[in-house]
Structure formats: structure tokens, C-alpha cells
Amino acid sequence: MKKIGKQTIKFDNPPTILECSSIVGPKEANGPLAKYFDQTLEDEFWGEKSWEKAESKIIKENANMVISKAGISSQDIDLVFAGDLLNQCISSSFGLRDINLPFFGVFGACSTFVESLSLGSICIESFAKNVLCATSSHFCSAEKQFRFPLELGNQRPPSSQWTVTGSGAAILSKEGIGPYITHITPGKIVDMGIKDANNMGAAMSPAFSDTLITHFKDTGRNPSYYDAIISGDLGYIGKDIAIDILKSNGYNIKANYNDCRGSYF
Amino acid sequence: MDPLESKKTYQDYVNKKSPNSKIVKNCFNAFWVGGLICTIGQIIFNICKERGFDTQTSSTIVSILLIGISAFLTGLNLFNKIGKFAGAGSLIPITGFANSIVSPAMEYKSEGYVMGVGGKMFTVAGPVLVFGISTSILVGIVFLIFNTQNITLV
Amino acid sequence: MDINWANVFDLATLFKCFLIGGAICIIGQILIDKTKLTPARILVIFVTTGCVLGGLGIYQYLVDFAGCGATVPLTGFGYNLAKGVIEAVKESGLIGAFTGGVKAAAGGIAAAIFFGYLASLISKPKMKKQ
């Protein structure tokens, strides 16, 4: 692999995404992507006594599911990259206790999954044969840790974000027929001073836009090169802001850009 | 115009972009729900006075009953629906204070009764007690020194 | 029952109460919608304002006019603290500054704590709908 441009890494032997799987909660199960999820839950507790235990169970079951979907044994996996939103990533570390594999905990908030895939790809390119990447989040545990108790009678403004209850997992492999990860562009932290805790989309959009613009410049590509450009959870406002920022830098992404938050619910 | 030119231009740009809450509708709902809760309190107060309780005791009874009702509704997972609808209408009366104590108590039960419920019950309402009581102490000291008897008709 | 129901449901009193209580809530709603203040901060502003206005004797006018319309909102809680403090100071001097507030609010605080604990024994939080 080699570095091109300012921030992008190009892989000489692109890793394959061997398999992926997802488990989501009931709200997501009623959204437009419902049929693409491997498993949906009836309620947010999934038989556990606390939100945090439920989240651990979600990532554990999802990790097991992706391994069995891939048809490999867990002993074939060299490394696990996983993370979540909670303090010290307890959901991932407790949830993946039994998986018995070398584990790197990743904290990147909304960027955790892509960060896991990026780091996993670098390991595949250098020494690993198979890497498991997983992430989880849970609306209730996130509200409890970062915002307000669920039963508090406060009003949420229209811009407020909604944390997904669910987990996504993927297995990266040295050999395979694709889809391939050909490049990664790790982004910089871009803080434009948005202090409104209820407007995360506006807070995150500058960083997303900066990363995307850098990616285009480093690779020399245009937005039209891609069939789809997808962001994690900027929400409606963040998505609009991103389109504006890209436009003012000469890139028109309106045609093929979408945001997960716009699609999940 | 690049919204990212500077922090200030970005923040102005975001303020223009962010949708406004429906303030007129919210104020209307806050008004009638808040007014209703106060009226219920007044009816309880009147009944207490009719039964011979003095003003201070009647007031305390109103507080306790409204707090109890609020706790009950919070426990039934209903208060947050009222709060979403009424906003300040349920937050500002004493019902909001009660809900802000009961909701963390329920939430942190998963962390145990002593450290969870007991320790974290006041995460939202704590400041109200800290600032309310501290201010009252200052009021008392000021009253003592300046004898604000002329202004205070208590 | 020796309750004079006409007094309990005296429309003039109830109407004034409804009006003022609602108006105070509108002020709170404007703070929620127009500022980025969290609920806790808004409650602190209200209780402190009520306490100061109570200490200055101004809030008493509102209470005389609107009854529970002024005492049920959290400003009324602050007013109650101030009233309790001033009475205690008149009686016991400086010690009263410390004892008066909590004494006046004792019923409310104790009820909130106790019911909070009870609710935690019985209920579980549930997922929010959008």
C-alpha cells in the first residue's frame, strides 16, 4: 500500500469484504431499509435487564452471525476491531468477551465502523488473512449516557438526532472476489464551533465534507465516478449542509449522495 | 460563498438552515396544559382551605399531590408523552420538577438501588435544589442585613 | 361533607389561576424554543427568579392575584423558599436563613424523593417513540 495525495491510502492488494451482517431494533425494522437487515428485534431489551446488556448481546450475536454467514471458523480470524458509543466501549468489550480473539477497541463515535474497516484493511494488506469489524449502538443507552433519562418530559427540537439501535459487522479477507476496499481516506477533526447539542448534523458536516473533498483531490476523481456516496448519520440538515459545502468547493454531489439517517427511519 | 470560511460564517449559515420549532403551536400547548395543571392545583387548594387547613399547609398538600400524580404518570411511561406535547406546560409547574427526579430514578435502577437510584436521582433536578436553596439563604442574609421590610410585605 | 363547592369552583379564581399559570409556562416555552438552554438550566432560572422576587416581596402580589397560578410553577417553589426563609429569619435571626427555605419546601422535596424511589421499584423506562 502507499499514500497518495495528502491523506489517502491506496491498497495494492485490495481486501475483500467477505461477508456482512446486521441486527437492528424495532424502530429501524419499520424503516425503508427493513428488508436488508439480517435480524430485527421486537423490543430494545431483547430479554436483558439493562440497555447496556442488550447492546452487548446485539453485537455478540451479530459477530457470531457474520462469522457463520462467511462460512469460516472464528479461529480463522486474525483480529477484531470493534467499538460503540459507551464509556470504555463496554458494549463491544463485554459483548465480544467470548469470541477469544485479539481485540482492538475503537472509539470513533459515528465514524467507528468505517474506522474499523480502515484499520482492518491496513492489517489485511500487511499481515492478516481475515479481520472482523463490528460496531453497535443503542438509542436508550446513548440517551442515558449522553443526554437525558428516557422518561424525562422534555421536548426535542426538529434538528435533534436519533441514535440507531443496532449493530453492523463485516469480515475482511485477503482473498476474495470483492467488493473490494481499494482506498481509504482517514479524515481530520474539523471543529467549526457548533455548540448546540441538539444539532449534531451541523457539527459533523464540515468534517465529512473536508474528508470527501480531500479524497476527491487525492485520487483525482469526481463525484460522478461513484455510483453512490453515502454518509453515516448527518441527518437531513447535515446532508443539506454537506451538499452546500461541496458545491462551494466545486463538487456537485447532489445526484448520487445520500445519508443513512435519511434512509434508516 | 463557502460556509466554512470561518467559524462565524458557518455558525450564521447553520442558524439560517436549522428548522425552527413551531413556536406558536408550542406556546399555545404550553399555555393551556400549564394553566390546566395550575387550575387543578387551585381546586385541590380550595378543597383544603374549605376543610380548614391553613394556607401554608394547603400549599404543601397541593405540591405533594401534584408531585405524586406526576411520579405516577412518569412511572406509567405517560409523562414523557405529555412533556413532548406540552413542553414548558408540564416542565415549569412542579410536575416538571417531580418528573426530573423520578425519570433518572427509573433509568438508573439498572445500576443498582444505592449507587444508581440513590446516587443519580438528582442528575437533572439537583441544580434546582442547589440554586434554589442557596438563593434563599442569600435572600435571608440580605433581609437580615438590610431589613427589606419596606419592600417585602410578607 | 362541609365543603362549599361553590367556593372550590369559584370561576373567577380558577380563571385567574389558569391565565397566570399558562402565561408563566409560555415564558418557559419561549426559552425552550428560542434558546439552547437545557431543561435543568431553565428550571434553575425559574426557581432563582421566584426566590429573588419572593424575597423582594414582588411575587406576593402575583400570588395574591392568581393563587396556584403563581405557586404551582417552579417560580412559586422559589417564592416558597424565600417566604420560608424570611419568616424563619424574623423568628430566629441568622440561623433562620439556613433553616427556613428547606423547612418550607420540605414536603415537596421529601415527596419527590420518596415517589421517585417508589417509581424506580415498580417501573422500567420504555423506549421513546419519535
Side-chain angles (χ1 to χ4, degrees), chain B residues 34 37-38 41 44 59-71 74 79 88-102 125 128-129, chain C residues 21 24-25 43 46-47 68-78 80-81 104-105 107-112:
Chain B
I37 294 175
C38 293
I44 299 173
S59 227
T60 307
I61 293 175
V62 168
S63 290
I64 294 177
L65 280 180
L66 286 180
I67 289 171
I69 294 171
S70 192
T74 307
F79 194 97
S90 59
L91 175 74
I92 299 293
I94 199 108
T95 44
F97 174 72
N99 168 254
S100 72
I101 291 180
V102 176
V128 173
L129 292 174
Chain C
I24 297 178
C25 290
L43 293 182
F46 272 72
V47 82
C68 286
T71 58
V72 166
L74 217 63
T75 39
F77 186 76
N80 201 23
L81 291 171
I109 297 175

Side-chain angles (χ1 to χ4, degrees), chain A residues 5 13 18 53 78 82 88 110 130 156 163 165 169 172 176 206 210 216 222-223 265:
Chain A
N13 301 305
L18 194 62
K53 287 189 172 143
D78 295 291
Q88 296 155 354
C110 307
N130 295 304
R156 309 167 109 246
T163 309
T165 299
L172 301 179
D210 181 72
F216 289 141
N222 270 320
F265 305 116

Side-chain angles (χ1 to χ4, degrees), chain B residues 100-123:
Chain B
S100 72
I101 291 180
V102 176
S103 52
M106 284 168 64
E107 187 73 62
Y108 290 104
K109 177 163 88 168
S110 61
E111 295 182 18
Y113 283 106
V114 174
M115 295 309 291
V117 177
K120 298 202 174 162
M121 198 189 259
F122 286 98
T123 43

Side-chain angles (χ1 to χ4, degrees), chain B:
Chain B
M1 201 279 298
D2 184 5
L4 289 186
E5 212 173 294
S6 74
K7 284 192 183 180
K8 180 87 183 34
T9 55
Y10 185 65
Q11 281 161 32
D12 291 338
Y13 162 79
V14 168
N15 281 334
K16 273 199 230 101
K17 256 238 167 344
S18 303
N20 287 318
S21 320
K22 305 192 195 87
I23 191 166
V24 175
K25 180 174 134 199
N26 287 343
C27 282
F28 177 70
N29 290 334
F31 176 76
W32 75 260
V33 176
L36 182 64
I37 294 175
C38 293
T39 310
I40 293 174
Q42 184 71 52
I43 293 175
I44 299 173
F45 182 86
N46 290 345
I47 294 177
C48 291
K49 293 285 306 238
E50 282 296 308
R51 295 289 247 137
F53 293 109
D54 67 47
T55 307
Q56 181 63 21
T57 313
S58 304
S59 227
T60 307
I61 293 175
V62 168
S63 290
I64 294 177
L65 280 180
L66 286 180
I67 289 171
I69 294 171
S70 192
F72 181 66
L73 290 174
T74 307
L76 286 180
N77 314 105
L78 288 175
F79 194 97
N80 66 335
K81 298 193 177 98
I82 299 173
K84 189 171 130 188
F85 171 77
S90 59
L91 175 74
I92 299 293
I94 199 108
T95 44
F97 174 72
N99 168 254
S100 72
I101 291 180
V102 176
S103 52
M106 284 168 64
E107 187 73 62
Y108 290 104
K109 177 163 88 168
S110 61
E111 295 182 18
Y113 283 106
V114 174
M115 295 309 291
V117 177
K120 298 202 174 162
M121 198 189 259
F122 286 98
T123 43
V124 185
V128 173
L129 292 174
V130 171
F131 285 92
I133 294 175
S134 303
T135 310
S136 75
I137 293 177
L138 286 178
V139 162
I141 295 175
V142 166
F143 175 74
L144 192 61
I145 299 177
F146 294 103
N147 196 1
T148 52
Q149 190 93 43
N150 297 329
I151 324 170
T152 308
L153 296 176
V154 176

Side-chain angles (χ1 to χ4, degrees), chain A residues 1-11 182-187 211-221 226:
Chain A
M1 55 188 159
K2 56 178 175 291
K3 184 169 165 188
I4 57 173
K6 275 172 60 190
Q7 281 163 229
T8 305
I9 299 171
K10 180 176 189 299
F11 293 117
T182 60
H183 298 71
I184 58 176
T185 306
T211 308
L212 193 56
I213 291 169
T214 308
H215 174 80
F216 289 141
K217 291 196 172 124
D218 287 349
T219 55
R221 293 174 180 167
Y226 294 105

